[in-house]
Amino acid sequence: MTSTAKLERDIEAAHLFDAWLEKARLALETPDVDRFTALFDDDGYWMDYLAFTWRYRTFEGHAAIREAAGRTLAPHPVRSVAVSAERARPRLARRSGTNVLEGFFDYETAHGAGTAYVRLRLHDDGADPTVWVMLTTLQSVHGYAEQSGTNRPRGHESDDGTMNWLDRRNAERAFTDRDPEVIIIGGGHSALTLGARLRQMGVDALILEKNHRIGDNWRKRYHSLTLHNEVATNTLPYMPYPTTWPSFLPKDKLAQWLEAYAEAMELNVWTDCEVVRAERDKASGLWTVRIRRSDGSITERAAPQVVLSTGGHSGVPKLPRIPGLEDFAGRAFHSSEYHSADDHAGEQVVIIGVGSSAHDIAQDLYENGAGSVTMIQRNPSAVISLDPCGTMVYAAYSDDLDPADVDFVQAATPYPMLKSTYQWLTKKTCELDRALIDGLESVGFRTDFEPDNTGFHMKYLRKGGGYYINAGCSELIIDGKIGIRQAADIERVEAGGLRMTDGSLHPADTLVLASGYENQQEGVRQLFGDDVADRVGPIWGFDENHVMRNMWVRTAQDGFWVMGGSLMEARLYSTYLAVQIRADLLGILPREGLA
């Protein structure tokens, strides 16, 4: 497309969007439920993140949209509807064989400032565009807009002229004169992104990290680890990676960045801190968090809000039940304790499990001197190539697009649309990966792409695991360099290895139990007790609204939140969790959602 043609197309998109937005403005600012409903196609979707429902909700079709709008628009009067000045400009595109118009608009509600993304169907008969998908969000609470960009601090703030910036930072980080408003347990990428959002919204947060340094949760992982998706997907809010960085980040590079991020974002972090218990006083509404320092001393801090952010894992290893494991004469440990192949030179190593960590550990061992490596498969797994298939899920992200805008578009995907998209994608990736899949199955590796053929990423969303993006281990399995055996063929563990059902002994010096982690609810149970854990319930996997259970949202336990997910999810949902916490501290977040 020539530059002139592109300019003409951009102008057309702007005019079309302005005309549609005027109708939307009238519907929202009145508010007029019938006008609002009429904006949508018969099978259109209205998705809301906090702006009108104070929850994550999806409404499909006119009847559901009208009913939800009738309950939510009046309590949240809208004003100042306008094309977003900070987001991507409106554009014409083609989605799933349909001509569409996409754009962002901003608005204000009674509680804060919001942004919406809308995808409009264009009709060949000249009829007005209708909404295919609209995602409305609340981006900040009135009086607490993020202190960034044009709203950044001036840098002249001082108490009495005797303290410079460093003096104030040291005093702020020490918390000797106050308790925090929020205590975040965990110092990984999820905790840091949430901490950064909260700080910009004026919330005083303390982050507790058990390791000696921020980033140690990556530094201490196995030597060869790199991320399996590209940097454009994995940027952190406010601080994009340098454009000179590699597409796939080594673990230590990411670890160094996280440490620098915590400092640059002026986050109040205490390292070498292990939380041993947290309890809530019902009368005061305050959590008391007991903290063990590196010298063994115990200190306490109180806060009205606590966030558990110990990563995608609960921190509670899930150990497989294998008869005779206690009789094994070699070393047996969970995969979280694996550090380097150097510790296993010349050994016969058996890995129980075939998830991502199991594959990465197996490859590291094979390439760095282990005598033999065998993986034991307990359940079928989805395997796809890193390139081209593994990157397809994140293909919308690129270095020339603002990841925050792409996050919006990705979030604006109702579950039925998400499911059909993943089915299409899985069919395509399985075709492209046919030789890889056939090669694995020919040596006894069992593959599975979900009963509804939605593939590896839906496995992640539903179960948190059960897949591998191939970074070279699959070829080693296919070539017989790494063995594969089935758990069903193991009778028991003996001192020297695995006794198989055919009577043979598979020798082993080391067993690596790459069997995953318990549901994060068990991590809640360890720190907060049975009552809180049972009240919160299971964490992760879709709930009845096709939202992650108890993640990034108000739980059934007052003042308790869970933050986690991938770097991309942390970047997206940190905004919405920070808004909810800010609103709860102000007393404006309803106990129950409005829809």
Side-chain angles (χ1 to χ4, degrees), residues 51-278:
F52 300 97
T53 63
W54 282 116
R55 290 293 187 270
Y56 307 113
R57 292 290 183 263
T58 299
F59 309 103
E60 179 182 0
H62 277 190
I65 292 169
R66 179 180 287 106
E67 196 272 338
R71 285 184 288 116
T72 61
L73 290 187
H76 292 79
V78 173
R79 60 182 184 276
S80 304
V81 173
V83 176
S84 180
E86 297 183 0
R87 302 281 180 176
R89 308 305 295 168
R91 68 170 186 168
L92 295 164
R94 192 164 179 81
R95 304 289 187 200
S96 302
T98 302
N99 292 323
V100 300
L101 171 63
E102 299 175 323
F104 295 89
F105 66 91
D106 296 331
Y107 49 87
E108 291 187 9
T109 73
H111 296 301
T115 296
Y117 162 80
V118 63
R119 181 181 301 159
L120 303 169
R121 277 195 175 114
L122 300 178
H123 303 286
D124 294 335
D125 61 3
D128 289 342
T130 48
V131 175
W132 189 359
V133 181
M134 179 191 292
L135 170 62
T136 51
T137 73
L138 190 64
Q139 295 288 309
S140 65
V141 177
H142 285 316
Y144 297 94
E146 290 186 333
Q147 300 172 41
S148 62
T150 56
N151 195 38
R152 71 172 74 231
R154 298 300 296 169
H156 302 306
E157 297 82 3
S158 179
D159 295 330
D160 56 9
T162 63
M163 299 177 70
N164 69 3
W165 171 84
L166 183 58
D167 295 330
R168 292 195 303 274
R169 278 295 298 134
N170 288 336
E172 181 185 14
R173 188 162 30 214
F175 284 95
T176 55
D177 59 345
R178 72 200 192 285
D179 275 322
E181 294 177 290
V182 179
I183 294 175
I184 302 175
I185 301 172
H189 66 265
S190 294
L192 299 180
T193 53
L194 177 61
R197 299 285 195 195
L198 288 170
R199 184 174 183 85
Q200 301 314 308
M201 295 183 191
V203 176
D204 192 11
L206 170 61
I207 298 172
L208 302 175
E209 167 58 38
K210 68 179 180 179
N211 286 308
H212 181 59
R213 295 168 61 190
I214 289 294
D216 276 355
N217 60 322
W218 287 95
R219 286 188 194 90
K220 293 181 178 181
R221 298 183 71 182
Y222 45 91
H223 190 68
S224 61
L225 177 64
T226 61
L227 298 189
H228 289 178
N229 45 27
E230 297 176 84
V231 289
T233 309
N234 292 322
T235 60
L236 276 64
Y238 313 115
M239 281 181 60
Y241 300 124
T243 57
T244 57
W245 277 27
S247 294
F248 297 96
L249 292 184
K251 69 177 182 72
D252 295 290
K253 202 171 187 69
L254 178 59
Q256 300 291 80
W257 186 260
L258 292 176
E259 191 170 39
Y261 184 83
E263 178 60 33
M265 297 308 300
E266 301 184 12
L267 304 183
N268 297 324
V269 178
W270 289 3
T271 55
D272 288 317
C273 287
E274 180 183 4
V275 175
V276 294
R277 194 68 174 174

Side-chain angles (χ1 to χ4, degrees), residues 457-525:
H457 204 260
M458 195 65 91
K459 270 183 176 284
Y460 164 70
L461 294 174
R462 289 170 174 165
K463 304 167 186 174
Y467 67 91
Y468 171 58
I469 302 175
N470 179 33
C473 189
S474 293
E475 286 78 9
L476 297 175
I477 295 171
I478 292 169
D479 294 341
K481 296 173 180 177
I482 292 175
I484 184 74
R485 305 197 71 167
Q486 295 299 316
D489 296 330
I490 300 174
E491 182 176 300
R492 64 180 292 106
V493 176
E494 296 182 0
L498 307 180
R499 181 66 62 183
M500 310 306 290
T501 55
D502 63 5
S504 64
L505 179 71
H506 187 102
D509 301 304
T510 294
L511 296 178
V512 180
L513 309 176
S515 44
Y517 293 79
E518 300 289 351
N519 186 275
Q520 202 166 358
Q521 183 184 15
E522 297 311 306
V524 177
R525 194 177 306 281

